[in-house]
Amino acid sequence: TQLLEQSPQFLSIQEGENLTVYCNSSSVFSSLQWYRQEPGEGPVLLVTVVTGGEVKKLKRLTFQFGDARKDSSLHITAAQPGDTGLYLCAGRWEMDSNYQLIWGAGTKLIIKP
Amino acid sequence: EAQVTQNPRYLITVTGKKLTVTCSQNMNHEYMSWYRQDPGLGLRQIYYSMNVEVTDKGDVPEGYKVSRKEKRNFPLILESPSPNQTSLYFCASSFSQGNGELFFGEGSRLTVL
């Protein structure tokens, strides 16, 4: 069974602070995706990282894929209340030309004004 | 507008009363999938379909059935619901299993009494 451990599970911080969310596994992924889910809605894709060591930026959000493609991080600079939501990572794992998407349990982020 | 539509959004039912949650996508996606989301457990895949008439079990298929008679529709059937199937259910689709963005419906919150 492939596992993707996400930490922290819950984070509540003040507006303007920085934070980092981590996704770790012992498995090697062909790619890793980050999704954000707001209450009453389904997850929405933020980014896909494919290459080991890859860094992608989305405004104040910085995503990094580990060199060995086993882990990833999401860093938010100067968090805003609009960043509040559930952040999910999902690693794409390939076996015998079949792909499986392995999900982390999520990080619930609350940004207080 | 590209979307995945689920119905119903909310349902309260009783043990043993068969129900169907419908899912339809308008993006001509080959791949469709059903997930359940429970606190602390993240997204767990119930069933998925690579294409019309091709379905396969995910991680938690017990107590569920699916069918894929048309490309756009992928209904989830609970033949005899039990209280442990109380959960938030999401349908998702993507162009193919191997890559790309997963598009999620808005979710169906099911309570089985």
Side-chain angles (χ1 to χ4, degrees), chain A residues 9 30-31 33 35 37 40-45 48 86 88 92 97-101 103-106, chain B residues 9 35 37 40-43 45 48 50 59 88 90 96-107:
Chain A
Q9 289 185 28
S30 57
S31 65
Q33 297 178 321
Y35 289 78
Q37 182 181 8
E41 298 181 11
V44 175
L45 180 68
T48 301
L86 179 68
L88 296 159
R92 199 170 295 275
S97 300
N98 218 2
Y99 291 90
Q100 190 176 4
L101 202 57
W103 291 87
Chain B
R9 295 287 314 279
Y35 291 92
Q37 186 175 42
L41 296 178
L43 288 167
Q45 191 177 49
Y48 65 95
M50 305 270 277
D59 298 317
L88 179 58
F90 286 100
S96 69
Q97 185 194 33
N99 55 49
E101 176 180 0
L102 261 181
F103 291 83
F104 284 83
E106 292 183 304

